[in-house]
Structure formats: C-alpha cells, structure tokens
Amino acid sequence: MDPIDAYIRVPRPSAVMVWTPEQTRLFLEEAGRHPLFALYRLITLRGLRRGEACGLRWKDIDLDTGAASISWQLVQLAGRIHEGKPKTDASMRTIALDAETVTILRGHQRRQREQQLAAGEMWKGTGFVFTQSDGDRLHPQHVSDQFLWLAYLAGLPPIRLHDLWHGAASLMLAAGVEIKVVQETLGHTSSAFTADTYTSVFPQVAMAAAEKTAALLLGEDEGHGTLRHLRA
C-alpha cells in the first residue's frame, strides 16, 4: 500500500482537526525545504484558503508595505482548473504580512525569476506567485498532495490542508489576536461565525482577556494613585 494512502486512512476523531503550535512548527520546518514553502506558510499563518493561495498574483502583493490583496482564486472542478473571484464578498480582503513572510516571498520571487530565465521562450507568463516550473498555473490538488507528503515526512498526525486554514484561526486566537481581526484575516462573514466555529479555542482567549482586564485593577500603588486622581 502507498504510505500516503495508509497515512490518510488513520481514523479521525473529529471532522475538523488542527495541529498544536509545536506540531505546526514541525510542519513548517519540514516544508522549509519545499518549493511551495511560501504558499504553505501563508495558509498556516495568514489563513489563505487553498484556492486563494494558488490564485495569488504578484500584482496583488506589495512586499514593501507587507500587504496582500486576496481577490482571485483557482478552484478544481471535475479535474479542471477554473479561475475566478473568491466565493464571498468577505473573502475579498487585504491581509498583513509579517516581516519573515515578506523575506520568504522575496526569496521565492528570485527563484521564480531564475526559473523564467531557464525556461526562456517556454515560460508561461501567468503572473501567479506560485506556479509550475514553466510558469503555468498550479493544480490545487497537487498542493494538497504535497501537503500530505510533507506532513507524513514530519511524522505528524494526518489532517487535511483545509484544516491548516482552520489552524491559522486557532493560532491567531491563542496568540490573543482580536476576534474581529481574525474574522477579517480569514474572510469570514462575521465575527460571530468566527467565534462559533472556534468554540474550543475562543473560551481560552476570552478568559485570558478577562484576566488581563482584572489585572488592570491590581497594579502598583502608583497606578491606584492615578485612578484616584482621575476620579477626582
């Protein structure tokens, strides 16, 4: 039996599963040696869907300001690739890019330009950030297949590529990112939907916020003096 077939047949206790931060870190370390590393990092940390990552174009990214506009996607229907807008108005969004991701994208861009020089007239100028070696569009299923292989090599519990998108929300919430920011980053229609979807993580975040709020009243004497002054 193919090792990947055996890997993905492992019983899943839940329809949606996400890795822990440590497991996610191990995956990114393994993916760091793969040509699609930047794509997997965007899904993992910035919450792009598979089709949005495959459909990302260089004209939609500003590496100087660290921002990317999500306005295009590649979807797979009956084995064929279709280009189009994201599925909802909320999915049309602009996301912030951290400094390390910008550096990784710049390196990816340099390697793509080297591929273009090597391909010469055979290069297909599609304008997409993530392409095949001749510049042609990526097949979304190839992205999923490579993800499973990398997860297998890293010795991690099997999850779907779409679960990595869910994991991005969990990571942001666990890091204390405001629910509204998580909603807008992932392209959810409402913050209520985001909170309902990630009920296993959101209570921990809400508790941490409550503790931080209460801690404001437990500061040093100087802080109490300031409060008394303001009340006066």
Side-chain angles (χ1 to χ4, degrees), residues 100-120:
E100 185 174 353
T101 295
V102 168
T103 299
I104 291 170
L105 282 168
R106 289 189 189 279
H108 176 81
Q109 188 177 53
R110 287 193 298 270
R111 288 187 292 274
Q112 190 182 72
R113 287 170 177 166
E114 292 171 359
Q115 287 181 321
Q116 180 177 357
L117 289 173

Side-chain angles (χ1 to χ4, degrees), residues 84-142:
K85 300 292 184 180
K87 62 180 183 179
T88 66
D89 290 341
S91 299
M92 302 275 289
R93 61 201 190 277
T94 298
I95 61 171
L97 304 174
D98 61 279
E100 185 174 353
T101 295
V102 168
T103 299
I104 291 170
L105 282 168
R106 289 189 189 279
H108 176 81
Q109 188 177 53
R110 287 193 298 270
R111 288 187 292 274
Q112 190 182 72
R113 287 170 177 166
E114 292 171 359
Q115 287 181 321
Q116 180 177 357
L117 289 173
E121 295 182 356
M122 301 298 293
W123 180 259
K124 296 178 174 63
T126 58
F128 289 111
V129 175
F130 305 107
T131 65
Q132 300 183 45
S133 59
D134 63 353
D136 203 358
R137 303 173 302 180
L138 277 180
H139 199 295
Q141 186 57 49
H142 173 73

Side-chain angles (χ1 to χ4, degrees), residues 61-79:
I61 298 181
D62 189 331
L63 294 177
D64 292 328
T65 62
S69 298
I70 311 303
S71 58
W72 204 249
Q73 68 172 349
L74 298 183
V75 295
Q76 178 182 327
L77 298 173

Side-chain angles (χ1 to χ4, degrees), residues 43 47-54 70 73 86-88 90-91 93 162 165 186-188:
I43 295 176
L48 271 67
R49 298 173 178 88
R50 181 182 74 172
E52 294 168 349
C54 291
I70 311 303
Q73 68 172 349
K87 62 180 183 179
T88 66
S91 299
R93 61 201 190 277
H162 192 63
W165 177 68
L186 270 70
H188 287 165

